[in-house]
Amino acid sequence: DAGVIQSPRHEVTEMGQEVTLRCKPISGHDYLFWYRQTMMRGLELLIYFNNNVPIDDSGMPEDRFSAKMPNASFSTLKIQPSEPRDSAVYFCASRGRASGDNEQFFGPGTRLTVL
Amino acid sequence: AQSVTQPDIHITVSEGASLELRCNYSYGATPYLFWYVQSPGQGLQLLLKYFSGDTLVQGIKGFEAEFKRSQSSFNLRKPSVHWSDAAEYFCAVVPNTGGFKTIFGAGTRLFVKA
């Protein structure tokens, strides 16, 4: 298996533009997580899905952020409009239903820079 | 408040020396416990995990961790560090309350000197 796939790996955009980050979880995994990592705040959970349904979005910073999971093999995290303070590395992770110990598998991340 | 604490922001050890990275948590019941490693520009990789049984767990790359309930700790150890171990290490917990929200510590950056 190729593991969790994220695209793009790097994104540079200007303030006010829409940004869409993409994630393909490991096949067969039924949980998907979006995290944000910054120097100031460390690794924060933004939202997670179970069977394509959002379960906890309490970590989403504000209405400019939205996440969707239209099917079991694809999820997006959208920021509209983007701001410089959104600059961070965004990670996607997935977990399988057989993983009774809650292990998550992480993608390589998307480094977002908002100018 | 529930939290995961890694008291050392960074640690420097000599190659071949032993290593211990500290992690403390504050949750009522024993949570699921994890150590992840993040190399520069990479995602997080699981080193080891604990949720029950033997309190000394073995992981990949020669790492081990010991769960101590009385101290609410889950410290990571390695007897002999290699230069390739230089990375950031994260302790993480999933509270044993039925949810799946993982709480990460702030991380400890390990530097290895020749």
Side-chain angles (χ1 to χ4, degrees):
Chain A
D1 196 316
V4 176
I5 299 172
Q6 291 187 247
S7 64
R9 291 294 309 276
H10 302 273
E11 176 80 38
V12 180
T13 190
E14 293 187 343
M15 182 174 63
Q17 296 298 306
E18 177 180 296
V19 175
T20 300
L21 311 181
R22 298 173 177 81
C23 175
K24 175 178 168 56
I26 292 173
S27 177
H29 281 190
D30 57 344
Y31 284 87
L32 185 140
F33 305 80
W34 281 102
Y35 292 89
R36 178 173 66 176
Q37 186 179 38
T38 62
M39 288 292 292
M40 292 297 294
R41 301 175 66 90
L43 201 59
E44 305 171 276
L45 177 65
L46 300 177
I47 185 172
Y48 77 90
F49 296 81
N50 178 218
N51 292 324
N52 313 335
V53 176
I55 302 300
D56 184 345
D57 65 354
S58 60
M60 295 286 262
E62 49 195 277
D63 291 346
R64 297 184 297 106
F65 286 70
S66 62
K68 295 181 179 179
M69 192 164 186
N71 57 63
S73 59
F74 183 65
S75 176
T76 60
L77 178 68
K78 185 176 293 187
I79 308 172
Q80 167 62 17
S82 58
E83 297 182 2
R85 60 192 168 121
D86 301 330
S87 298
V89 181
Y90 291 81
F91 289 102
C92 176
S94 69
R95 171 191 179 274
R97 63 175 60 89
S99 180
D101 55 12
N102 289 307
E103 178 181 350
Q104 295 179 24
F105 295 82
F106 282 78
T110 295
R111 181 174 295 278
L112 173 65
T113 302
V114 183
L115 304 174
Chain B
Q2 297 178 333
S3 65
V4 179
T5 302
Q6 294 181 246
D8 304 305
I9 296 174
H10 55 80
I11 282 182
T12 301
V13 300
S14 298
E15 192 169 17
S18 63
L19 171 70
E20 182 170 32
L21 303 182
R22 296 182 290 166
C23 174
N24 293 92
Y25 63 90
S26 60
Y27 291 89
T30 300
Y32 295 90
L33 297 159
F34 305 84
W35 275 100
Y36 286 87
V37 60
Q38 184 180 28
S39 298
Q42 302 296 315
L44 278 70
Q45 180 184 22
L46 182 70
L47 283 176
L48 46 78
K49 57 195 174 188
Y50 172 83
F51 53 98
S52 68
D54 192 345
T55 57
L56 183 64
V57 294
Q58 302 297 320
I60 62 171
K61 304 185 180 186
F63 285 91
E64 66 178 26
E66 185 172 14
F67 167 61
K68 293 186 177 180
R69 186 189 308 275
S70 61
Q71 299 177 18
S72 296
S73 69
F74 189 56
N75 294 349
L76 181 71
R77 301 194 295 248
K78 186 170 185 178
S80 178
V81 168
H82 188 263
W83 64 266
S84 61
D85 294 325
E88 186 145 23
Y89 292 80
F90 293 91
C91 180
V93 307
V94 175
N96 198 356
T97 55
F100 300 99
K101 194 168 182 174
T102 303
I103 311 299
F104 285 85
T108 298
R109 182 166 293 278
L110 173 65
F111 297 94
V112 180
K113 59 182 181 180

